[in-house]
Amino acid sequence: MPLLHALVYETLRLYPPVPVNIKEAMVDDVLPDGTPVPAGTRVVYFPWGMGRDPAVYQDPEQVRLERWVPFQQPPPHEFPVFQAGPRICLGMDMAILEMKLVTTMLLQQFTFTIAPEEAEKVHYSRTITMSVCNSKDQNSHNLWLTPHRRRVSEAR
């Protein structure tokens, strides 16, 4: 389970559901580092880029589960996948539990393959929320995986 938890966090680090976020200060405020933010100022932050910052993550493009084992909750302002501060997602723990549960259930019963020609097409779309896209024209969001049911003896 620690490795599955680490895989979920590595996936969220590399592919946050909302890759760019914009907030507008309704009142004068101060960022965690002490920077003043006057009312009406828009602040843009980039979770996709933050998860790839080599100053924070050694070999940031590599999936390295050991980053998260043993697990320590990252500061939300440094890992804003679920927002931070007073607007942090109330469903964060439930979402992570559901990701692990669905992954476990699928991998217990199936293995998956993807045709090489399909694998070459997969990239992430340029939309508000990050999604899989398999078309240069951004008009197809399919991931053509082929499930293969595991035999009972393999599933154990």
Side-chain angles (χ1 to χ4, degrees), residues 11-21 47-48 80-82 99 127-131:
T11 302
L12 291 170
R13 176 184 71 82
L14 288 167
Y15 304 103
V18 180
V20 178
N21 212 315
W48 191 91
V81 172
F82 291 98
M99 284 183 257
T127 57
I128 292 173
T129 58
M130 187 169 275
S131 64

Side-chain angles (χ1 to χ4, degrees), residues 53-70:
D53 183 355
V56 178
Y57 301 102
Q58 184 181 6
D59 299 322
E61 296 294 328
Q62 301 298 314
V63 172
R64 295 180 54 196
L65 301 182
E66 63 271 14
R67 293 183 216 276
W68 306 101
V69 178

Side-chain angles (χ1 to χ4, degrees), residues 19-113:
V20 178
N21 212 315
I22 303 169
K23 301 292 182 198
E24 184 173 340
M26 300 306 289
V27 297
D28 291 346
D29 204 350
V30 179
L31 294 177
D33 70 352
T35 303
V37 180
T41 302
R42 286 190 180 162
V43 177
V44 178
Y45 62 98
F46 188 38
W48 191 91
M50 293 170 73
R52 289 170 161 73
D53 183 355
V56 178
Y57 301 102
Q58 184 181 6
D59 299 322
E61 296 294 328
Q62 301 298 314
V63 172
R64 295 180 54 196
L65 301 182
E66 63 271 14
R67 293 183 216 276
W68 306 101
V69 178
F71 183 74
Q72 290 187 347
Q73 185 70 42
H77 293 90
E78 293 176 16
F79 191 82
V81 172
F82 291 98
Q83 304 291 318
R87 301 284 187 263
I88 197 159
C89 176
L90 297 175
M92 176 179 76
D93 292 333
M94 179 62 83
I96 290 170
L97 175 65
E98 287 174 346
M99 284 183 257
K100 294 190 298 188
L101 190 64
V102 168
T103 300
T104 300
M105 291 172 69
L106 285 171
L107 292 178
Q108 283 177 338
Q109 296 185 32
F110 299 96
T111 60
F112 298 89
T113 58

